[in-house]
Coordinates of all heavy atoms in Angstrom, one line a residue:
I45 N -17.1 -15.1 -68.9 CA -18.0 -16.1 -68.3 C -17.2 -17.4 -68.2 O -16.5 -17.8 -69.1 CB -19.2 -16.4 -69.2 CG1 -20.0 -15.1 -69.4 CG2 -20.1 -17.5 -68.6 CD1 -20.6 -14.5 -68.2
T46 N -17.3 -18.1 -67.0 CA -16.6 -19.3 -66.8 C -17.3 -20.5 -67.5 O -18.4 -20.3 -67.9 CB -16.4 -19.7 -65.3 OG1 -17.7 -20.0 -64.8 CG2 -15.8 -18.5 -64.5
S47 N -16.7 -21.6 -67.5 CA -17.4 -22.8 -68.1 C -18.6 -23.2 -67.4 O -19.5 -23.9 -67.9 CB -16.4 -24.0 -68.3 OG -15.9 -24.3 -67.0
T48 N -18.8 -22.8 -66.1 CA -20.1 -23.1 -65.4 C -21.1 -21.9 -65.5 O -22.1 -22.0 -64.9 CB -19.8 -23.3 -63.9 OG1 -19.2 -22.1 -63.3 CG2 -18.8 -24.5 -63.7
G49 N -20.7 -20.9 -66.2 CA -21.6 -19.7 -66.4 C -21.4 -18.6 -65.3 O -22.2 -17.7 -65.3
A50 N -20.4 -18.8 -64.5 CA -20.2 -17.8 -63.4 C -19.4 -16.5 -64.0 O -18.8 -16.6 -65.1 CB -19.3 -18.4 -62.3
N51 N -19.5 -15.4 -63.3 CA -18.8 -14.2 -63.7 C -17.3 -14.4 -63.6 O -16.8 -14.6 -62.5 CB -19.3 -13.1 -62.8 CG -18.7 -11.7 -63.2 OD1 -17.7 -11.6 -63.9 ND2 -19.2 -10.7 -62.5
A52 N -16.6 -14.3 -64.6 CA -15.1 -14.5 -64.6 C -14.4 -13.3 -64.1 O -13.1 -13.4 -63.9 CB -14.6 -14.9 -66.0
W53 N -15.0 -12.2 -63.8 CA -14.4 -11.1 -63.2 C -14.4 -11.1 -61.7 O -14.0 -10.1 -61.0 CB -15.0 -9.8 -63.7 CG -14.8 -9.7 -65.2 CD1 -15.7 -10.0 -66.2 CD2 -13.6 -9.2 -65.8 NE1 -15.1 -9.8 -67.4 CE2 -13.8 -9.3 -67.2 CE3 -12.4 -8.8 -65.4 CZ2 -12.8 -9.0 -68.2 CZ3 -11.4 -8.4 -66.3 CH2 -11.6 -8.5 -67.7
T54 N -14.8 -12.2 -61.1 CA -14.7 -12.5 -59.7 C -13.7 -13.6 -59.4 O -13.3 -14.3 -60.3 CB -16.1 -12.9 -59.1 OG1 -16.5 -14.1 -59.7 CG2 -17.1 -11.8 -59.4
T55 N -13.3 -13.7 -58.1 CA -12.3 -14.8 -57.8 C -12.9 -16.1 -58.0 O -14.1 -16.3 -58.0 CB -11.9 -14.7 -56.3 OG1 -13.0 -14.8 -55.5 CG2 -11.1 -13.3 -56.1
G56 N -12.0 -17.1 -58.3 CA -12.4 -18.5 -58.5 C -11.2 -19.2 -59.0 O -10.1 -18.7 -59.1
A57 N -11.5 -20.5 -59.4 CA -10.4 -21.4 -59.8 C -10.8 -22.3 -60.9 O -12.0 -22.7 -61.0 CB -9.8 -22.2 -58.6
A58 N -9.9 -22.6 -61.8 CA -10.1 -23.6 -62.8 C -9.4 -24.9 -62.5 O -8.3 -24.8 -61.9 CB -9.7 -23.0 -64.2
A59 N -10.0 -26.0 -62.8 CA -9.3 -27.3 -62.6 C -10.0 -28.3 -63.7 O -11.0 -27.9 -64.3 CB -9.5 -27.8 -61.2
D60 N -9.4 -29.5 -63.8 CA -10.1 -30.5 -64.6 C -11.2 -31.0 -63.8 O -11.0 -31.5 -62.7 CB -9.1 -31.6 -65.0 CG -9.7 -32.6 -65.9 OD1 -10.9 -32.9 -65.8 OD2 -9.0 -33.2 -66.7
P61 N -12.5 -30.9 -64.3 CA -13.6 -31.3 -63.5 C -13.6 -32.8 -63.2 O -14.3 -33.3 -62.3 CB -14.8 -30.9 -64.3 CG -14.3 -30.6 -65.7 CD -12.9 -30.3 -65.5
R62 N -12.9 -33.6 -63.9 CA -12.8 -35.0 -63.6 C -11.9 -35.2 -62.4 O -12.0 -36.2 -61.7 CB -12.2 -35.8 -64.8 CG -13.1 -35.8 -66.0 CD -12.4 -36.4 -67.2 NE -11.3 -35.5 -67.5 CZ -10.4 -35.7 -68.5 NH1 -10.5 -36.7 -69.3 NH2 -9.5 -34.8 -68.7
A63 N -11.0 -34.3 -62.1 CA -10.1 -34.4 -60.9 C -10.8 -33.7 -59.7 O -10.8 -34.3 -58.6 CB -8.8 -33.7 -61.2
I64 N -11.3 -32.5 -59.9 CA -11.9 -31.7 -58.9 C -13.2 -31.2 -59.4 O -13.2 -30.3 -60.3 CB -11.0 -30.5 -58.4 CG1 -9.6 -31.0 -58.1 CG2 -11.7 -29.7 -57.3 CD1 -9.5 -31.9 -56.9
P65 N -14.3 -31.7 -58.9 CA -15.6 -31.3 -59.5 C -15.9 -29.8 -59.3 O -15.5 -29.2 -58.4 CB -16.7 -32.1 -58.7 CG -15.9 -33.1 -58.0 CD -14.5 -32.6 -57.9
Y66 N -16.7 -29.2 -60.2 CA -17.2 -27.9 -60.1 C -17.9 -27.7 -58.7 O -18.6 -28.6 -58.3 CB -18.2 -27.5 -61.2 CG -17.6 -27.4 -62.6 CD1 -18.1 -28.1 -63.7 CD2 -16.4 -26.7 -62.8 CE1 -17.6 -28.0 -64.9 CE2 -15.8 -26.7 -64.0 CZ -16.4 -27.3 -65.1 OH -15.8 -27.2 -66.3
G67 N -17.7 -26.6 -58.1 CA -18.4 -26.3 -56.8 C -17.5 -26.7 -55.7 O -17.8 -26.4 -54.5
Q68 N -16.4 -27.4 -55.9 CA -15.6 -27.9 -54.8 C -14.8 -26.7 -54.2 O -14.3 -25.8 -54.9 CB -14.5 -28.8 -55.4 CG -13.9 -29.7 -54.3 CD -14.7 -31.0 -54.1 OE1 -15.7 -31.2 -54.7 NE2 -14.2 -31.8 -53.2
K69 N -14.8 -26.6 -52.9 CA -14.1 -25.5 -52.2 C -12.6 -25.9 -52.0 O -12.3 -27.1 -51.8 CB -14.6 -25.3 -50.8 CG -16.1 -24.9 -50.8 CD -16.2 -23.5 -50.6 CE -17.6 -23.0 -50.4 NZ -18.3 -22.6 -51.6
I70 N -11.7 -24.9 -52.2 CA -10.3 -25.2 -52.1 C -9.6 -24.0 -51.4 O -10.2 -22.9 -51.3 CB -9.6 -25.4 -53.5 CG1 -9.7 -24.2 -54.4 CG2 -10.1 -26.6 -54.2 CD1 -8.9 -24.2 -55.6
Y71 N -8.5 -24.3 -50.8 CA -7.7 -23.2 -50.1 C -6.3 -23.1 -50.8 O -5.6 -24.1 -50.8 CB -7.6 -23.4 -48.6 CG -6.8 -22.4 -47.9 CD1 -7.3 -21.2 -47.6 CD2 -5.4 -22.6 -47.6 CE1 -6.5 -20.2 -47.0 CE2 -4.6 -21.7 -47.0 CZ -5.2 -20.4 -46.7 OH -4.4 -19.5 -46.1
I72 N -6.0 -22.0 -51.3 CA -4.7 -21.7 -51.9 C -3.9 -20.7 -51.0 O -4.4 -19.6 -50.8 CB -4.8 -21.1 -53.3 CG1 -5.7 -21.9 -54.1 CG2 -3.4 -20.9 -53.9 CD1 -5.2 -23.1 -54.9
P73 N -2.8 -21.1 -50.4 CA -2.0 -20.1 -49.6 C -1.7 -18.9 -50.4 O -1.4 -18.9 -51.6 CB -0.7 -20.9 -49.2 CG -1.1 -22.3 -49.3 CD -2.1 -22.4 -50.4
K74 N -1.8 -17.7 -49.8 CA -1.5 -16.4 -50.3 C -2.6 -16.0 -51.4 O -2.5 -15.0 -52.0 CB -0.2 -16.3 -51.0 CG 1.0 -16.4 -49.9 CD 2.3 -16.2 -50.6 CE 3.5 -16.1 -49.7 NZ 3.7 -16.9 -48.6
Y75 N -3.7 -16.8 -51.5 CA -4.8 -16.5 -52.3 C -6.1 -16.6 -51.5 O -6.9 -15.7 -51.5 CB -4.9 -17.4 -53.6 CG -6.0 -17.0 -54.5 CD1 -5.8 -16.0 -55.4 CD2 -7.2 -17.7 -54.6 CE1 -6.8 -15.7 -56.4 CE2 -8.2 -17.4 -55.5 CZ -8.0 -16.4 -56.4 OH -9.0 -16.1 -57.3
G76 N -6.2 -17.6 -50.7 CA -7.4 -17.8 -49.9 C -8.3 -18.9 -50.3 O -8.0 -19.7 -51.1
W77 N -9.5 -18.9 -49.7 CA -10.6 -19.8 -50.0 C -11.3 -19.4 -51.3 O -11.6 -18.3 -51.5 CB -11.6 -19.9 -48.9 CG -11.0 -20.4 -47.6 CD1 -10.6 -19.7 -46.5 CD2 -10.8 -21.8 -47.3 NE1 -10.1 -20.5 -45.5 CE2 -10.3 -21.8 -46.0 CE3 -11.1 -23.0 -47.9 CZ2 -10.0 -23.0 -45.3 CZ3 -10.8 -24.2 -47.3 CH2 -10.2 -24.2 -46.0
T78 N -11.6 -20.4 -52.1 CA -12.3 -20.1 -53.4 C -13.0 -21.4 -53.8 O -12.9 -22.5 -53.2 CB -11.3 -19.6 -54.5 OG1 -12.1 -19.0 -55.5 CG2 -10.3 -20.6 -55.0
T79 N -13.7 -21.3 -54.9 CA -14.5 -22.4 -55.5 C -14.0 -22.7 -56.9 O -13.8 -21.8 -57.7 CB -16.0 -22.1 -55.4 OG1 -16.3 -21.8 -54.1 CG2 -16.8 -23.2 -55.9
V80 N -14.0 -24.0 -57.3 CA -13.7 -24.4 -58.6 C -14.9 -24.2 -59.5 O -16.0 -24.7 -59.2 CB -13.2 -25.9 -58.7 CG1 -13.1 -26.3 -60.1 CG2 -11.9 -26.1 -57.9
D81 N -14.8 -23.3 -60.5 CA -16.0 -23.0 -61.3 C -15.6 -22.8 -62.8 O -16.4 -22.3 -63.6 CB -16.7 -21.7 -60.8 CG -15.8 -20.5 -61.0 OD1 -14.6 -20.6 -61.4 OD2 -16.3 -19.4 -60.6
D82 N -14.4 -23.3 -63.2 CA -13.9 -23.2 -64.5 C -13.0 -24.3 -64.9 O -12.5 -25.0 -64.0 CB -13.2 -21.8 -64.7 CG -13.2 -21.3 -66.1 OD1 -13.8 -21.9 -67.0 OD2 -12.7 -20.2 -66.3
T83 N -12.6 -24.4 -66.1 CA -11.6 -25.4 -66.6 C -10.8 -24.8 -67.7 O -11.2 -23.7 -68.2 CB -12.3 -26.7 -67.0 OG1 -11.3 -27.7 -67.1 CG2 -13.1 -26.6 -68.2

Side-chain angles (χ1 to χ4, degrees):
I45 304 293
T46 70
S47 57
T48 62
N51 179 352
W53 294 99
T54 61
T55 59
D60 185 326
R62 292 171 297 178
I64 307 295
Y66 293 133
Q68 199 88 359
K69 300 260 188 266
I70 61 172
Y71 177 79
I72 309 273
K74 296 185 171 43
Y75 185 78
W77 293 98
T78 194
T79 303
V80 174
D81 64 358
D82 204 2
T83 191

